[in-house]
């Protein structure tokens, strides 16, 4: 079966993109990254993608007159690269209903909490403040509602008595780097 073609959307560091890239180097991995899109021209992950010879493009919102025009440029590059699945990986910009509906069932995200708990930002600090004992990450389909689409898979970590947001984030990130590639693999085999 031909490998599924992934587009990975980033805004910064791109460590989840790198985890997908590493996983895809295995011969039997059913997908490969065919395109990287960033909304930040200085995103570190863009260089990682270019170093791996992956087509990588920055579309900064300020270069476009409207959100619709910004997304239209992104749709164009997705169409040109024959993409099967779009994976948001630290892409910190809300997508319009038009965009999420266009790619319904082909657009997923990884979020650093056990959704539906702690949608939005600062999830690790909020999980500690809420005195949760469990935290983690979620891969979900993207809908118009922020962090609200159907849940596909989750990984848990325990919150320790003296945890800090940074220490907890680091442990969750380790799980993200396993959960995202394995979930993509399952989706691309079905
Ligand atoms: C990851 O922890 C990801 O779950 C989170 O941003 C980080 C990106 O790191 N995403 C969100 O908060 C989306 N709402 P990375 O650029 O190193 O993959």
């Amino acid at each position: 079966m031909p490998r599924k073609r992934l587009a990975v959307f980033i805004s910064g560091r791109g460590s989840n993109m790198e985890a997908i890239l590493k996983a895809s180097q295995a011969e039997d991995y059913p997908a490969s990254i065919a395109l990287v899109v960033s909304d930040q021209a200085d995103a570190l992950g863009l260089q990682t993608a270019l170093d791996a010879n992956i087509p990588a493009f920055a579309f900064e919102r300020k270069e476009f007159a409207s959100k619709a025009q910004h997304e239209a440029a992104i749709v164009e590059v997705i169409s040109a690269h024959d993409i099967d699945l779009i994976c948001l990986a630290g892409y910190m910009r809300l997508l319009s209903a038009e965009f999420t509906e266009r790619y319904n069932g082909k657009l997923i995200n990884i979020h650093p909490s056990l959704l539906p708990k702690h949608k939005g930002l600062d999830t690790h600090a909020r999980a500690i403040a809420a005195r949760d004992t469990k935290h983690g990450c979620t891969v979900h389909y993207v809908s118009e509602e922020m962090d609200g689409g159907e849940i596909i898979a989750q990984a848990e970590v325990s919150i320790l008595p003296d945890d800090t947001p940074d220490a907890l984030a680091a442990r969750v990130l380790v799980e993200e780097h396993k959960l995202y590639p394995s979930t993509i693999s399952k989706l691309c085999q079905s």
Side-chain angles (χ1 to χ4, degrees), residues 9-18 45 88-93 109-113 119-124 136-138 140 146-147 169 172-173 176-177 180:
F9 282 26
I10 61 171
S11 294
R13 180 175 59 180
S15 71
N16 275 289
M17 178 203 72
E18 242 179 301
L88 307 185
Y91 187 71
M92 304 307 277
R93 182 171 296 280
N109 179 44
I110 188 156
H111 180 76
S113 79
K119 297 176 178 178
L121 300 175
D122 299 325
T123 56
H124 310 297
C137 51
T138 303
H140 63 96
M146 186 190 63
D147 303 326
V172 171
L173 196 63
E176 293 187 41
H177 293 167
Y180 214 5

